Amino acid sequence: MSSEEVAKIKVLEEKIEIIEKERNRFKEERDVFEKEINALKTEFSALTSKLNDQMECPVCLEVPTSGPVHCCPNGHFVCSKCKDSHCATCRIRMFAGKSLLAVTVIEIIKHKCRNEDCGALLPLPEYKIHSNCCPHRVVSCPAPKKLCSKKVALSKLYEHILSECTGSLNKKQNAEFTGKFPLTITLSSGKGIPLQDDVSLSGLGLDWNGVKFYINWEKAPDCTVFSVQLLGSERECKDYEVTITVHRIDDKEMKGKHVIRLVQEPFPVEIEEEVRKKNGLMVGYMMLKKMTVKDADLWKFA
C-alpha cells in the first residue's frame, strides 16, 4: 500500500470520527429535548387535571362544555343545569354570579369523553364533534319500543340485538343474518294480511360485509312502513344505499304489477321511531291486499 493511499485512509478515518462525534452529540441533544418535552407534557397534564377537578360540577360531577358557569360569593362553581338557590358546596345563598374565567378555562382545557369504554381526551371543538360520532355513545335499540326500549352503547348494540333484544328475530331464532344479499324475507299471518293488527312485530339485525344494519316492518296509520337503519351516524349513512322491495311471493323476479320499491340512504341509528315510520317505504292496505298470497293456512308476501 502506497503512502498516498495510507494518507487517504487516515483522512477518511478522521472524517468518520468527526461524524460519529456529531452523531453522538445530536443524540445527546435529542435525549435532552425528549426529557424536556416529556416534563412539559407531564406538567401540562397535571395542570389540566387540576383545572378539570376545579371545574367539575359538585352536583352532576361533570365538567361543563359551555357557559354560563354560576358561582357563589365564595367562588364555588356549579353548572347551569344544576344551579339551585343555595351553593352545593358551602350552602351559602346563590345569587346571579357568573364566572367569565371559568368559561375561558372550559374553552382551553381538554375534555374527557363521558361514554363508558372510551376515555378520549379532546379539545372542546373536537370533543363536540366526537360526542356525536363516538363509537361508544349510548343509543336506543332500533327494535320497536313496545318490545325493547333499552339504551345500549353503540359498540355493544349489535351483540345486544343478537343475544338480548326481545324485539328482534335474531334472538328468537338464535340466528345472525349474514352473507349473500339481496335478502328475501317472507312475512306471514294466519289471520289475514300480515302486519294489519296492532301487535308490534320484531325487527331483524343484518350484517353486510361487517357493516351492521337493522330492518323494521311496522304498522302506521293507514299503512305499513318498511325501513332500514345503519347502526351508525347520519354522516356514515351517506356511504350506503339500500333498496327495499315489497312484492308477491310468487313474483321472485319482482317484475309484476304488484311491486313497490324504495331506494334511499339507510336511516341513522339515532332516528326516532315516529320519524322512521313517516319516512320509510309506506305501503297502504289496498296494495298489501293485492300482494298477499294464500299459501296453505297462511297469508304471505315478501
Side-chain angles (χ1 to χ4, degrees):
M1 184 179 295
S2 65
S3 57
E4 184 177 348
E5 290 175 333
V6 172
K8 286 182 179 180
I9 291 173
K10 188 174 182 181
V11 169
L12 288 173
E13 288 176 344
E14 290 174 352
K15 287 183 178 181
I16 291 172
E17 185 177 355
I18 293 171
I19 292 171
E20 287 181 346
K21 286 181 179 179
E22 284 293 307
R23 184 191 63 183
N24 292 335
R25 182 174 66 83
F26 288 143
K27 185 178 179 181
E28 290 173 1
E29 290 178 353
R30 184 199 63 189
D31 292 341
V32 171
F33 287 146
E34 285 183 353
K35 287 181 181 179
E36 291 178 351
I37 290 171
N38 290 333
L40 288 172
K41 285 181 177 179
T42 301
E43 185 178 352
F44 176 77
S45 178
L47 177 60
T48 301
S49 178
K50 188 172 182 180
L51 287 172
N52 271 277
D53 291 342
Q54 292 296 318
M55 290 307 308
E56 186 177 82
C57 174
V59 180
C60 64
L61 303 179
E62 293 181 353
V63 177
T65 56
S66 63
V69 177
H70 301 274
C71 63
C72 76
N74 289 330
H76 300 124
F77 299 134
V78 65
C79 72
S80 295
K81 65 181 181 180
C82 296
K83 181 180 179 290
D84 203 351
S85 58
H86 289 77
C87 174
T89 302
C90 67
R91 305 308 300 167
I92 195 172
R93 182 172 176 77
M94 293 286 291
F95 294 97
K98 299 181 181 68
S99 174
L100 297 177
L101 177 60
V103 175
T104 301
V105 172
I106 286 171
E107 292 173 348
I108 62 174
I109 63 175
K110 290 186 176 183
H111 294 258
K112 185 178 181 180
C113 180
R114 297 168 184 172
N115 295 318
E116 188 178 351
D117 297 330
C118 183
L121 199 61
L122 302 163
L124 186 57
E126 295 178 26
Y127 171 83
K128 290 181 176 180
I129 296 172
H130 171 82
S131 297
N132 294 324
C133 60
C134 175
H136 303 288
R137 66 189 184 278
V138 176
V139 297
S140 297
C141 177
K145 286 184 179 180
K146 288 183 179 180
L147 301 178
C148 182
S149 58
K150 285 192 175 182
K151 292 184 178 295
V152 188
L154 179 58
S155 57
K156 300 175 181 178
L157 179 57
Y158 194 65
E159 181 58 35
H160 160 76
I161 291 169
L162 294 181
S163 60
E164 298 176 350
C165 181
T166 54
S168 298
L169 290 173
N170 305 77
K171 180 179 185 299
K172 293 178 180 179
Q173 299 185 7
N174 192 28
E176 181 178 7
F177 290 81
T178 61
K180 189 176 180 180
F181 285 83
L183 178 68
T184 300
I185 301 168
T186 301
L187 300 178
S188 61
S189 172
K191 300 178 181 180
I193 301 173
L195 307 177
Q196 295 310 299
D197 51 32
D198 292 329
V199 179
S200 296
L201 291 183
S202 301
L204 181 67
L206 304 173
D207 183 324
W208 179 75
N209 294 335
V211 183
K212 316 302 184 187
F213 295 89
Y214 195 87
I215 184 169
N216 268 304
W217 31 80
E218 303 167 286
K219 187 73 175 68
D222 303 321
C223 67
T224 299
V225 183
F226 303 82
S227 62
V228 176
Q229 286 173 258
L230 171 71
L231 303 191
S233 67
E234 185 174 2
R235 182 192 61 79
E236 293 171 311
C237 288
K238 297 182 184 299
D239 296 330
Y240 300 95
E241 178 183 282
V242 298
T243 300
I244 307 172
T245 306
V246 182
H247 60 95
R248 291 169 58 99
I249 59 172
D250 55 4
D251 182 12
K252 298 186 184 302
E253 298 296 321
M254 294 176 284
K255 294 181 179 180
K257 59 182 179 180
H258 301 308
V259 175
I260 295 183
R261 182 178 288 109
L262 175 67
V263 181
Q264 64 177 21
E265 293 177 0
F267 296 136
V269 68
E270 288 92 350
I271 192 171
E272 294 291 334
E273 183 174 306
E274 291 307 311
V275 178
R276 183 176 70 207
K277 287 182 179 181
K278 295 176 182 177
N279 291 276
L281 175 59
M282 292 179 277
V283 184
Y285 172 80
M286 289 183 63
M287 193 64 192
L288 275 181
K289 184 177 180 181
K290 293 178 180 179
M291 292 178 177
T292 303
V293 176
K294 190 172 184 181
D295 182 16
D297 295 329
L298 295 177
W299 296 87
K300 300 179 179 180
F301 66 81

